[in-house]
């Protein structure tokens, strides 16, 4: 990769959470193709190994960690070098009507989707693990920010909180040139998406709600994140990039 390519990640060390599958795996793979040195983490060691084996280049690192456990975050922070980028992708999707939700359900969703990322970034800043001009990217969603659906209230709320948080964080870190942004995908074909267990006929009808008549692919989200991690986006911070095949145009 030529060094004058503004989208190159050559010389950058990037941490990706939730890298064991789906969007997280695609992010790690595509960043490695752009010559980044990758540090990947996830809860499932076997699937994390599969991601690690898919990376291009050498000198990458994998660290098994459950970011909903504070001690795992502490251990991860202690093992990290200084970072040029951090992609907060770890998350869960759960369809559940609010009237049947208990406090534990609320905390489970927020612990993984929201609080763990907030705590990780706080620890990175406190321990001076982010280089000057580093880029922080959150994988949010159009759900909760631009729209929602029946049974998605908890998921939507956990994602909406991220988009509010990053705007304040962008202001607090701007004096060091650190940029903070999010990508907001629509439905992406991943294992997380499959966990909704929608019948084939329902999925085909859902596709018709997208002007481009299909769901997104993990690598299409990853390409946008490469941009936000690269020097090509040096004047972009506090932004929420929508990647939804036109869904929110309706």
């Amino acid at each position: 990769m030529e060094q004058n390519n503004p989208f190159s990640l050559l010389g950058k060390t990037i941490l990706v959470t939730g890298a064991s599958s789906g969007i997280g795996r695609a992010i790690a793979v595509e960043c490695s193709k752009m010559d980044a040195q990758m540090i990947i983490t996830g809860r499932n060691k076997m699937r994390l190994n599969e991601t690690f084996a898919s990376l291009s280049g050498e000198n990458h690192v994998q660290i098994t960690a459950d970011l909903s456990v504070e001690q795992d975050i502490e251990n991860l922070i202690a093992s990290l070098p200084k970072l040029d980028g951090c992609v907060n992708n770890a998350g869960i999707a759960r369809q559940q009507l609010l009237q049947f939700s208990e406090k534990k359900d609320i905390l489970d969703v927020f612990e993984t989707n929201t609080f763990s990322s907030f705590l990780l970034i706080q620890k990175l800043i406190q321990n001076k693990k982010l280089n000057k001009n580093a880029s922080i990217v959150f994988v949010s969603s159009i759900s909760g920010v631009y729209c929602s659906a029946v049974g998605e209230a908890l998921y939507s709320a956990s994602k909406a909180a991220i988009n509010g948080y990053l705007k304040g964080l962008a202001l607090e870190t701007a004096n060091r040139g650190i940029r903070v942004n999010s990508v907001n995908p629509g439905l992406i074909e991943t294992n997380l998406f499959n966990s909704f267990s929608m019948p084939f006929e329902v999925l085909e009808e859902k596709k018709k709600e997208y002007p481009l008549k299909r769901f997104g692919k993990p690598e299409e989200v990853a390409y946008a994140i490469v941009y936000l991690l690269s020097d090509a986006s040096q004047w972009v911070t506090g932004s929420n990039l929508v990647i939804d095949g036109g869904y929110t145009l309706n």
Side-chain angles (χ1 to χ4, degrees):
M1 188 67 60
E2 295 182 6
Q3 294 189 39
N4 63 357
N5 178 354
F7 300 96
S8 171
L9 300 179
L10 184 65
K12 297 183 184 292
T13 301
I14 308 292
L15 171 67
V16 178
T17 71
S20 55
S21 63
I23 293 174
R25 177 174 293 177
I27 295 166
V29 169
E30 296 305 325
C31 287
S32 72
K33 290 179 181 177
M34 298 302 287
D35 295 320
Q37 180 182 352
M38 301 306 302
I39 302 173
I40 61 172
T41 185
R43 291 185 291 190
N44 189 306
K45 185 174 183 178
M46 184 175 70
R47 289 191 298 174
L48 195 64
N49 286 338
E50 293 172 357
T51 300
F52 191 78
S54 301
L55 300 179
S56 300
E58 301 177 344
N59 301 318
H60 306 301
V61 177
Q62 59 177 324
I63 303 170
T64 305
D66 182 348
L67 299 186
S68 65
V69 178
E70 188 168 350
Q71 188 57 54
D72 278 18
I73 293 180
E74 295 282 0
N75 295 340
L76 175 63
I77 293 292
S79 64
L80 290 175
K82 287 216 169 187
L83 302 174
D84 300 292
C86 176
V87 183
N88 300 275
N89 171 70
I92 58 174
R94 182 177 299 172
Q95 281 191 313
Q96 188 170 24
L97 294 174
L98 273 179
Q99 62 178 318
F100 301 121
S101 301
E102 299 180 359
K103 184 176 182 179
K104 180 182 182 302
D105 300 315
I106 299 171
L107 292 177
D108 283 349
V109 172
F110 272 83
E111 195 68 55
T112 301
N113 291 0
T114 314
F115 302 150
S116 62
S117 293
F118 291 2
L119 185 57
L120 174 62
I121 295 301
Q122 180 189 48
K123 296 293 183 183
L124 287 174
I125 293 171
Q126 289 175 340
N127 288 274
K128 297 179 170 58
K129 293 287 187 174
L130 295 172
N131 283 323
K132 187 177 180 181
N133 301 322
S135 174
I136 299 170
V137 183
F138 292 89
V139 178
S140 182
S141 173
I142 60 172
S143 182
V145 183
Y146 303 96
C147 58
S148 190
V150 173
E152 283 188 10
L154 295 182
Y155 178 78
S156 294
S158 71
K159 291 299 186 178
I162 288 172
N163 285 42
Y165 170 83
L166 75 85
K167 293 184 182 300
L169 182 62
L171 291 172
E172 291 186 20
T173 57
N175 64 337
R176 293 192 58 223
I178 295 174
R179 298 173 291 107
V180 190
N181 298 285
S182 74
V183 293
N184 296 256
L187 283 176
I188 305 296
E189 294 180 343
T190 66
N191 291 334
L192 190 63
F193 165 75
N194 293 335
S195 69
F196 285 126
S197 302
M198 296 183 192
F200 175 80
E201 295 77 13
V202 174
L203 291 176
E204 289 303 302
E205 285 300 311
K206 189 70 177 174
K207 283 182 183 178
K208 295 177 183 178
E209 298 177 16
Y210 285 76
L212 294 182
K213 305 305 178 189
R214 67 175 178 86
F215 301 132
K217 301 174 183 177
E219 58 268 26
E220 292 172 321
V221 179
Y223 299 150
I225 290 173
V226 167
Y227 162 69
L228 292 173
L229 291 170
S230 74
D231 292 343
S233 61
Q234 284 183 320
W235 209 49
V236 180
T237 195
S239 295
N240 311 121
L241 178 57
V242 176
I243 309 171
D244 71 345
Y247 181 83
T248 52
L249 294 173
N250 295 323

